Each structure stands twice: as structure tokens, then as C-alpha cells.
Amino acid sequence: CFQLYGYCYQDSNDIPDTLTTITELGSPLEMIQLLQTSWEDRFRICLSLVRLLHYLAHSPLGSVTLLDFRPRQFVIVDGELKVTDLDDASIEESSCTSNSDCFMEFPARNFTLPCSVEGRCQSMNEKRNLYNAYRFFFTYLLPHSAPSSLRPLLDKIVNATGNHNEHGNAKLEYLALELSPSPSVNSEFTQKCVKSANTQYRRVPEAFIPDENYRCWPSYHHKGCLLSVFDVNEAIDICDSYSQCKAFVLTNQTTWTGRQLVFFKMASNHIVPDPDKITYVKVTD
């Protein structure tokens, strides 16, 4: 949830007992913009959402549900998803006398949960949060342009969150996403994705190409092609896949998971010294 930095009470003639809070600053969540970011960044957002689901299911107050679970209730803070509006949060589990009392209705599908011996709908708060996370976030952010080697696992996770009859449990999904082989953490995954390249490249240490940019998608730079790679072999594979790519520059910057940021260039006519970068130029016949 949002970081609370401070609060104060004040009385006014119009509104008594006014509470003012000071919280961290976040960026509004725009789904269209998120779909234009790298899959790695979207994976981070989904991972933070799963951690939030896990916390809500096991909070000190009990299982908490967000009755107004929509993107507008969240913001992005340093690449992490955080909920800002808790006005519609509830810890009340619905009472029941039979399973038919535990009916959950959504626009696309409905669910009936079991009624426990205590007369409460079993895990209704948790399941409501999970399905809303599926229909508003997971179904859009996880599969879209995901690495091919991860798609079977991601499909399994997305299907499980959307089907409460098959392991639709926030704790299981929390573990599944935490342990999933992120493309930047699991070297075996990345090496499987890298093709053997026949193209030859000349290594130029401590050098940078300041110009010769072209745009690609997704890119960390809006005026150029800046992508993350596991190693130089993956950078070669990416450059070979773009017809306009004639060189690339390894930087000393990394993403949140440790992948190295690389500029891909359409020519190498002007190379300048830079101690923090390494340039690779495609050798032509």
C-alpha cells in the first residue's frame, strides 16, 4: 500500500474532525501506456500486485477485499504497483446458510463458493480480489509480448487466477510468480532464447555511438532503440533480427532485475570515446 509519511487532525467550522494525510507521490496508472512498456516492467508490476494480494489475504485485520478494485485505485511508485484508495476496503466475509448464498457475479463469469461450517463464504474476500486482478491486470499485462519460453507458465498462472475451481488461491499464485524464471534472473532461460549467430562483430572497448538511432518497440528510450539483454550473445541476436541494426553499445546501466541496457544503432560512422561503454560493430563483407 501507499507509504504514509504523516497525518494531522484539524477542526473547521464546516467539517469537524478533518483528517489530512501526507503520502508518497505516485504516477496514475494508464493501461495503454503500460502495454507500450517492456514486458520486464509489466512483470514487475504484476509481481507487486501479487504481493499485495498475498498481504490482503493475510493482513493483521484478517482477509481484506477491495470492493472497488479498478486501475484508477492504483498508482505506480518506482515501478511498483500500489493501492491508494482504501475507502471501499472491507474485512467482512459474507454470511451464508448454503453454497447458493456464496454467489459471486462478474461481467464475464460467475462463481459459487462453498459455505463453511461457521456460516461464512469460504475465502470470498480473497477470491474476489484475485479475480479482479485477473480481469483488470493479469490478462492484459502478463501474456502480451512475453518471452516464448515463459508463456506456458504464464498461461497457467493467468488461467488459474481466472478459474477459482482450479487452484484459484492468492497464496499459490504469489509463490508461482515469485518462483517463476524471470528472464533476467534465470540464465538458463535466457541462454535457451539466444540463437547461435553467424554474423561477426568487431568489439570496440571504451567507445560509444552518440547518433545513428532508430526506434524500436518496446524501448526504454523514446527516441532510440534501448533494450535490456542478459549478455552480449542476446544483444547480437537482437541486432541480427533488425535489418537496420549495424551496431550496438553495451552500457553500464541495468534494469531492476539486473539485465544490461543496450543501445542498438543503424550505423557506426561516428564513434567517440566513453570509458563506461563497449561498442560492437557488425562486420560486413
Side-chain angles (χ1 to χ4, degrees), residues 42-50 137-138 141-142 177:
R42 284 183 273 117
F43 175 81
R44 184 183 185 184
I45 291 172
C46 290
L47 188 59
S48 61
L49 177 55
V50 171
F137 292 96
F138 296 150
L141 300 183
L142 274 180
L177 270 179

Side-chain angles (χ1 to χ4, degrees), residues 195-201 233 236-237 240 282-283 285:
K195 301 175 183 178
S196 59
N198 296 320
T199 311
Q200 297 296 317
Y201 285 81
N233 291 326
I236 290 174
D237 183 60
D240 286 347
K282 185 178 292 186
V283 178
D285 296 334

Side-chain angles (χ1 to χ4, degrees), residues 28-89:
L29 193 150
E30 299 289 344
M31 191 61 66
I32 295 179
Q33 292 181 2
L34 286 182
L35 291 174
Q36 296 173 346
T37 62
S38 69
W39 181 85
E40 191 177 5
D41 287 343
R42 284 183 273 117
F43 175 81
R44 184 183 185 184
I45 291 172
C46 290
L47 188 59
S48 61
L49 177 55
V50 171
R51 290 170 178 156
L52 173 63
L53 292 175
H54 184 263
Y55 176 81
L56 292 176
H58 304 88
S59 79
L61 298 176
S63 182
V64 180
T65 187
L66 302 179
L67 298 176
D68 191 12
F69 197 116
R70 285 182 286 183
R72 68 182 184 185
Q73 307 290 6
F74 298 85
V75 294
I76 303 295
V77 180
D78 296 330
E80 303 276 344
L81 188 72
K82 296 193 176 185
V83 62
T84 61
D85 190 351
L86 295 175
D87 290 346
D88 295 308

Side-chain angles (χ1 to χ4, degrees), residues 3 5 9 18 46 51 78 100 106 115 137 144 158 161 176 182 201 203 208-209 212 214 228-229 235 240 242 266 272:
Q3 179 69 40
Y5 291 128
Y9 288 98
T18 301
C46 290
R51 290 170 178 156
D78 296 330
S100 60
F106 295 96
C115 180
F137 292 96
H144 181 58
V158 172
T161 57
S182 167
Y201 285 81
R203 185 178 184 270
F208 179 62
I209 303 173
E212 308 296 348
Y214 66 90
S228 67
V229 303
D240 286 347
Y242 287 97
M266 61 190 303
V272 299

